[in-house]
Amino acid sequence: MTAFLISCDHATCAVPEAYREIFRGSEDIVTSTEGWEPGSLNLAQGFSMRFRTPLLHGDVTRLLIDFGKDGDERWSRFSLKLPETTRAKLVDRHERPYRTQMKDRIAEDLRRHESLVHVMIHTDPATDGLVMLETPPGAVLAEKFAAAWRTRLAAKDLDVRHVRDVVPGALGASLAAVYPAEQYAQIRLSVAQTFFLEGRPWRWETLKKLLLDSLEAVGKEATVA
């Protein structure tokens, strides 16, 4: 049986009170697509509800700390103003619990199930009406799921692409390196923000339902097989 894990790194543009001073005068940047990925949390919540699995998501703006990156790349031009000790606290309070929960969930799901599909959800401000499914190098199971998912989506005339052998970000790469590719299927789902912000070329709810229905159908096929 296949389990599903849903995660969303850039779910919010929230800034805890203790860090608001470094963004004073730049609040519009924080709430822009530079600070978060509009629609990503809404979509991730839909997947979580459909597959009856807890959702793991970032709880602060990526301009404070980017959960998908490592080292100095985690810090924006704003958070670099913070003392190193303060940034270390951000890691301890926000990044480390997020990553620990994710690893614990993966380990537990793989213990209880034959395989796990991890959908990492993003929305993209740079594309228009496009849905992307990206899989890491050597990701045997992920490629199989993504290919079947793409086939179902394309059959509905959605502009969808499956790109193989994409080197993931730091978080994705660290997970892909630990868990066996024949059991752990990591798929990065990236949806154009035009769907969520402008309702084009499809209404958001219509797109969301198709994404959920099609992945559920793929999961059922895999279970039967």
Side-chain angles (χ1 to χ4, degrees):
M1 184 176 176
T2 299
F4 288 87
L5 171 62
I6 311 300
S7 67
C8 180
D9 295 349
H10 308 135
T12 180
C13 57
V15 178
E17 181 68 35
Y19 305 104
R20 288 181 183 170
E21 183 61 33
I22 65 171
F23 297 108
R24 192 172 301 280
S26 301
E27 289 84 359
D28 58 332
I29 296 176
V30 178
T31 57
S32 75
T33 56
E34 190 177 346
W36 68 310
E37 295 179 354
S40 60
L41 179 59
N42 180 273
L43 182 57
Q45 288 171 330
F47 275 95
S48 176
M49 290 170 55
R50 174 65 65 90
F51 292 99
R52 296 186 177 88
T53 180
L55 169 62
L56 301 178
H57 65 83
D59 60 350
V60 296
T61 173
R62 61 181 167 187
L63 291 175
L64 196 55
I65 182 170
D66 192 322
F67 291 104
K69 297 180 179 179
D70 278 342
D72 290 342
E73 291 187 353
R74 291 174 293 187
W75 313 115
S76 72
R77 62 190 185 279
F78 298 101
S79 52
L80 279 171
K81 299 175 185 177
L82 295 169
E84 189 173 342
T85 53
T86 303
R87 281 185 272 136
K89 289 179 182 178
L90 277 169
V91 172
D92 289 339
R93 293 175 182 174
H94 298 280
E95 180 196 79
R96 186 165 292 121
Y98 178 65
R99 292 194 175 196
T100 298
Q101 279 187 312
M102 191 172 294
K103 291 175 181 177
D104 289 347
R105 277 288 313 284
I106 294 172
E108 177 62 14
D109 283 341
L110 289 179
R111 185 184 69 80
R112 297 174 54 195
H113 303 278
E114 293 179 1
S115 58
L116 172 68
V117 176
H118 181 183
V119 183
M120 307 177 84
I121 294 181
H122 295 269
T123 60
D124 187 357
T127 57
D128 192 338
L130 178 66
V131 172
M132 296 277 287
L133 303 172
E134 298 178 349
T135 49
V140 182
L141 184 61
E143 286 189 6
K144 178 181 176 182
F145 264 90
W149 195 6
R150 184 203 171 277
T151 297
R152 285 186 171 272
L153 293 172
K156 300 296 184 179
D157 294 325
L158 182 68
D159 187 1
V160 55
R161 302 171 196 176
H162 172 203
V163 185
R164 297 169 173 81
D165 298 328
V166 176
V167 177
L171 175 56
S174 67
L175 297 173
V178 171
Y179 304 104
E182 64 273 12
Q183 290 180 284
Y184 172 66
Q186 183 185 113
I187 301 175
R188 187 183 194 276
L189 168 64
S190 180
V191 177
Q193 290 177 8
T194 53
F195 289 104
F196 181 74
L197 297 176
E198 303 172 34
R200 65 177 181 84
W202 290 26
R203 290 180 59 252
W204 177 249
E205 292 301 322
T206 302
L207 172 70
K208 186 162 67 171
K209 185 176 186 304
L210 175 59
L211 290 170
L212 299 177
D213 289 348
S214 55
L215 183 58
E216 184 176 41
V218 172
K220 288 179 179 177
E221 287 179 350
T223 299
V224 172

